[in-house]
Amino acid sequence: MPATSLTFFVLLSPFIAAALAPLATRLLGHRAAWLLALVPAGIFLHFTRFSADVAGGGTTAEGYDWIPSLGLRFSWLIDGLSLTFALMISGIGTLIVLYAGGYLKGHAQQGRFFAYILLFMGSMLGVVVSDSLFSLFVYWELTSITSFLLIGFEHERTAARRAAFQALVVTGGGGLSLLAGLLMIWNITGIADLSGLLASGETLRSAPLYPVILVLILGGAFTKSAQFPFHFWLPNAMEAPTPVSAYLHSATMVKAGVYLVMRLFPVMGGTVLWETILPLFGGVTLVFGAVLAVRHVDLKMMLAYTTMASLGLLVMLTGLGSERAIDAAVLYLVAHALFKGALFMVAGIIDHETGTRNLTKLAGLARAMPLTFAIAMVAALSMGGLPPFLGFVAKEEIYAALTAGDSALMLACAAAVLGNALMFAVAFAVALKPFVGPVLPSPQRGEGGSKSRMRGTAGSEQVATPPHPPSGHLLPVGEKGEPHDPPVLLWLGPALMALGGLLTALFAPAFHAAISSPMASAVAGETHVIDLLPVPHWSLPLALSLVTIAIGVGFYLVLARIRAGVAKGLDILGWGPDRGFDQAIAGLVRFSVGVTRRLQPGRLDSYMTVTFVLLALVLLVPPAVYGEFARAPLFPAHIPWHELAIILLAVIGLPAVVLAKNRLTAIVSLGIQGFAVAMIFLLYGAPDLAFTQFMVETLSVVILTLVMTRLRLSPSDRRPLSQVLPDAAIAIACGLGMMLFLMKVTEAPFDSSLSDFFERFSKPLAHGGNIVNVIIVDFRGTDTLGEIAVVMVAALSILSLIRVRAGALRRPDDPAETDGGRR
Amino acid sequence: MNSLILRTIAPVLVSLMVLFSIFVLLRGHNEPGGGFIGGLIAVAALSIYGIAFGVGAVRRALRFHPATIAGAGLMLATLSGLVSALFGAPFMTGLWVTPVIFGTEIPLATVMSFDIGVYLVVVGAIGAVALSLEEEEDDA
Amino acid sequence: MEPVFAVLTGLFFAFAVYLMLSKFIIRVLLGVAILGNAVNLLIFINGRLLREVPPVLAAGLDVPAGPVANPLPQALILTAIVISFSFFAFLLVLSWRAYEALGTDNTDRMRLAEPETSPLPPEGY
C-alpha cells in the first residue's frame, strides 16, 4: 500500500475500531482490551516510521482533495510537533485502552466505553496531524463531541450529565470561535493549510485584523486547554471514569489548545499582543490551578487542578516565546503527559481497590500495594522535578528560560516557583500520603459504593438524587477483600508511563534527538537542539529547583492547614465561573421561554395576523420605497356582457360568504365564487381547468355540507367592531398589494420561451395534442407523480382522522365522557 | 336518502358517468380531458351512487377498498416512470408502442398508463374521503 | 383584460384574508377555500389571458396554427386545484374532529398543545 493511503487508513482506523468495539466486547468481555489496544499500538508503530525522517528535519505533507471547488483538502502534516503528539496520543492511548479493560471490567457498557475512547482517540489524532485548517476544525469539534460522550459516560448521574454538558458548551463554543479565526486566516492569506501557512512568514502578523484573529484563535485554545476563566469544566470533567481523566487530562483533550498555540507560534507568535496575553492568562491559570489543587481532598480533583496549572505553565512558556522557553514547554509537555497520566491511573487504582479517593481516609497502603506505591513514587518524583527524571530536566529548562531575561520575567518566575512548589506538594500528597502511616480500616465498609462518596468530595453541586448504586460497574476488588495490587491490565499502563519519565531522562540524548529537538524546532519554526542532561550541575536554575523543592516539602507538611485556608478564602469569595455557568444556562432557558411565549402565544388568529401583516408589508413597502408601482392600468373600454356577468357573480359570491347568516347561504355562496372562477377558466381557453374546477367545487360543496351539518355550527362571525376594523384593514392591504403586484407583472412584456417550447414540441416529442395534458403526464411527469403522492397522503390522513374515535382525544376527566358520552 | 326518482335514475346516470370518465381519461392526450378530470367525474358518480343506495352498496360494487385503488394507481404511475429505466432512458421518459389490433393502429404509451395511474389515485383517494364522510352521515 | 382580473384577484385575496383572520375554524376554512381560488387566478393571469383558444392541437397539426392560451399556468393550476381540494378536505375533517374532541370552534380555546399556563421548563441537567 502506498504511504499516502496507508496513513489515511491509519487515521481512519480508530473510527473503524470504535464501530467494532461493542461487538468485540460482547464476545471477549474485558479481554477485548488486548485486541482493541492493537489499534492504537499499530498507529504508534506507523508513526514511529516517520521519526527518522522528522529527526533529520524532514516534514511530510500529504492528503486528498476534499472539496476541490473550494480548494479544500483532507490533508495531514507530520513534523516534529505533530509527530510527538501523535506518538503520545497513540502510545498513551494503547495503555489507556488496556487500563480501561481492567478498570471497567464487568461494566455493562464497557463496549460502548471502548467505542467512545477510540472515537476520541481518532478525533484527537486528527487534530494534531491535520494540515488543512478545516479538517483541523472538524476534528477539533469531534473531540468536543466525543469528550462529551466520555465525560457523560455515567449518564445516569446528574453531576456527570452536567459536567458533560458544561464541557461541550465551553469547548464547543470555543470551537466556534476557532472556526471564525480560521476563516479569517483563510480570508486574509488565501491559505487553507498549515504547511502553507507556516511558510507565509509575516503575512498574518502584519495583517490589520491580526488582533481579532489572535483573540478568536485563543478563544478556541483557551477553552480547550482550560485557561482561566474557562477552566471550570476541567475539574468537573472528573465525573468521568478514571481512564477518561487519565487520557483527556494528561496527553490529549486539554493539550489540544496548547498544540494549537504551539502550531501557530511561528506565524502568530512573537508580537507584543501574543507576549502579553498568553503569559498573563497562563500565569494566572498556573497559580490559580495550583492553589485550588490543594483545596481538595479527592485525589482526582487534586490532579485535575494541577493539570490546569500545568496547562497554564505551558501557555505561559509558549507565550514568552524565547528559545529556551519553547524548549522548556516542549520538555514539560512530554514530561507532564507521562507523569500525570500515570498518577491519574494510580488514583483510579486506589479508588478501585479501596473504594475511596478521599485523601483523609487513605493511609498505610504501601504494604498491601507495593507495586502501586512504586509506580506512584516514580511518577511523583518526575512531577516534583527531582533528578534523574524528565520532570527535572523540564524544570531546569523552565527556570533557565525564566531567569535568562529581563526583570519582567521575575513575575513569571515567581509564579512558576509558587506553582511548581504547590504541584510538588500535591504530587506527594497523591503518591505518598495514601501509602504511608498507620493502616486505616478499609473505608468502603458501611459507606456504600465509591461513587456516592465521590460526589461529596468532588466540589461540584450537591445532587438530590439518591446515592446511585454501582449498577453493574466498578465492583471494587477491595469489596471482596483487603486492598491489594491490581491485575496486570490496571498496573501496566501507569507503570510504563512512569518508567517513561525515567527512561526518557536516562537516555536523554536519544530522546532529545528523536523527540524534543524536532518538536522544539517545529514549534519555533527554526532549528533548536536540546542537549540537557538529567545530571544536576550548579547553576541558578538548579538553585531555583532546590528552592521549589524546599517550599514544596514545606507545603506538603502543612497541607491540611493550607487546604483549610484556601477553602475559607473561596467561601468568602462565594461566586465562581462554575456557578456562573449554571446561572447563565438558567438565564438562557428563561430568556428562551420568554421569547417563545411572546412569539408563540398559542392563538391561531395572532399567527394569522402576523403572517398577513407581513405579506401586506412585503407587497406594498418595496414598491413604495423604490417607486415601482404599476402605471395607471389600461382598463378595456368594452367588456363582453357574459364576462361582465361572471365577474359580477364572483363579486356577489365573495361578500355573501362573509355575510352569510346560516350554513346553506355560506355554502352556496362559496360554490358561486368557485363556479365563477371555473367560468373564467372556460372563457379564457382552459377547458381542462374549468371542468376540474366544476367537479372540485361540486365535491367541496358536498363534503362541506356533510361536515357542517354535523358540526351544527353557525358560519356567521361574532367579531366585535374593534376586531373587524383592523382585520378588514389587513385584508384590504393584502388584496390591494396582490392587485398592484399583478398589474405590475402583467404590464411587463411576457417571456413566453417556456410556453413556446411546450407548444412546439408537444406533438413531435410527446405525441400529444392536448398540450396541458402533455405537460402534466410527460414533460413534468415527475412533478405530477409527487402531486398524486400528496393527494394520496392527504386522503390517508383524512381516513385516519375519521376513524379516530372522538372520545379518544378527550381527557379522562371530561364529564361528557363519564356520564355516558353521546346522548 | 330515500328518493324514488333518484333510485330510478341513479344506476343509469352513474354508469354513464363512469363511462364518460373513462372516455375523458383516454382522450385526454389529444383533446381536453385527462386523469385528474376523469377521476373527479368518477368520484362524483360514486357519490351519487352512495347517496342513492348507501355507502355499503358502493363499497360492494368497488370490490376493493378505495385506498387500495389509490395505492395501486400510485404504484402504476411510478412503474410507468420506471419502465424507461429498462431502456436506459432517464426516469419518466415517455415510451410508445403502436400494436395493430383488429386492423387499427392503437398507440400505447407509458404516459398513458401514467395518466391511468393518476386517474386511479384521484378516484381512490378522493373517493375514499367522500365515502367515509357519507358513511358517518348514515351512522349519525 | 388583465387589469380587470387583477382587481378581481385582489378582491379574492382580501375576502380570503378577512375570513382567515377569524377566530372560528369554519370561517378560517371558508377563507382557505377562497384563497386557493385566489392563488389559481393569480397564476392564471400571470400567464396572460387569451380568449377562447385552448392549447389543443387540431388533428394533423404539429404546432398550433395561431396563438393559443398559455398551457404552462394551466398545467400548474390543474394539479393545484386537486391538491388544494385534498387539503381543504383534510382541514375540514381535522377541524370537525377538533371540534368534537375539544368542544369548541374557537381557536383561542383550542389549547391542548399549548396550554395557557405551562410550567417553566426544567433548568437542571
Side-chain angles (χ1 to χ4, degrees), chain A residues 231 234-235 289-290 292-293 296 300-309:
Chain A
H231 63 279
L234 192 151
L292 285 180
H296 285 277
K300 271 174 78 176
M301 293 303 282
M302 297 171 76
L303 291 172
Y305 277 107
T306 58
T307 299
M308 176 185 151

Side-chain angles (χ1 to χ4, degrees), chain A residues 617-705:
Chain A
L617 290 179
V618 164
L619 285 171
L620 291 173
V621 170
V625 171
Y626 295 101
E628 288 185 348
F629 282 119
R631 290 185 302 267
L634 292 168
F635 284 104
H638 165 75
I639 303 174
W641 66 268
H642 57 281
E643 289 186 15
L644 205 58
I646 289 160
I647 292 168
L648 280 178
L649 202 60
V651 171
I652 293 165
L654 286 171
V657 179
V658 174
L659 299 174
K661 286 277 179 280
N662 61 52
R663 289 191 289 266
L664 196 64
T665 324
I667 293 171
V668 168
S669 315
L670 189 71
I672 287 176
Q673 58 83 31
F675 285 117
V677 172
M679 288 306 294
I680 293 170
F681 289 149
L682 191 63
L683 290 174
Y684 283 86
D688 284 332
L689 292 192
F691 292 139
T692 314
Q693 177 84 10
F694 277 131
M695 297 311 305
V696 160
E697 285 304 328
T698 313
L699 285 170
S700 296
V701 166
V702 169
I703 65 165
L704 201 55
T705 315

Side-chain angles (χ1 to χ4, degrees), chain B residues 9-24 41-42 45 49 119:
Chain B
I9 299 176
V12 184
L13 187 65
V14 168
S15 36
L16 277 177
M17 281 176 81
V18 171
L19 269 180
F20 182 63
S21 77
I22 295 171
F23 168 71
V24 167
I41 295 171
Y49 199 70
Y119 174 86

Side-chain angles (χ1 to χ4, degrees), chain A residues 279-305:
Chain A
L280 187 66
F281 277 85
V284 169
T285 309
L286 165 63
V287 174
F288 196 68
V291 170
L292 285 180
V294 296
R295 179 238 173 284
H296 285 277
V297 291
D298 181 306
L299 298 180
K300 271 174 78 176
M301 293 303 282
M302 297 171 76
L303 291 172
Y305 277 107

Side-chain angles (χ1 to χ4, degrees), chain A residues 400-464:
Chain A
L402 294 180
T403 51
D406 50 16
S407 56
L409 278 178
M410 289 293 289
L411 204 59
C413 193
V417 170
L418 177 64
N420 278 328
L422 283 166
M423 283 198 273
F424 178 94
V426 171
F428 285 93
V430 171
L432 187 62
K433 207 151 197 205
F435 295 96
V436 295
V439 180
L440 290 180
S442 188
Q444 82 225 354
R445 306 248 187 301
E447 283 201 40
S450 62
K451 289 297 157 192
S452 59
R453 194 164 35 259
M454 189 184 90
R455 251 201 319 273
T457 55
S460 50
E461 64 183 74
Q462 294 298 312
V463 182

Side-chain angles (χ1 to χ4, degrees), chain A residues 80 113 146 160 182 218 249 283 299 341 396 412 424 581 586 596 711 823:
Chain A
F113 184 83
T146 47
L182 294 178
L218 291 182
H249 302 129
L299 298 180
E396 290 287 284
F424 178 94
F581 178 82
T596 311
L711 283 176
R823 267 167 289 178

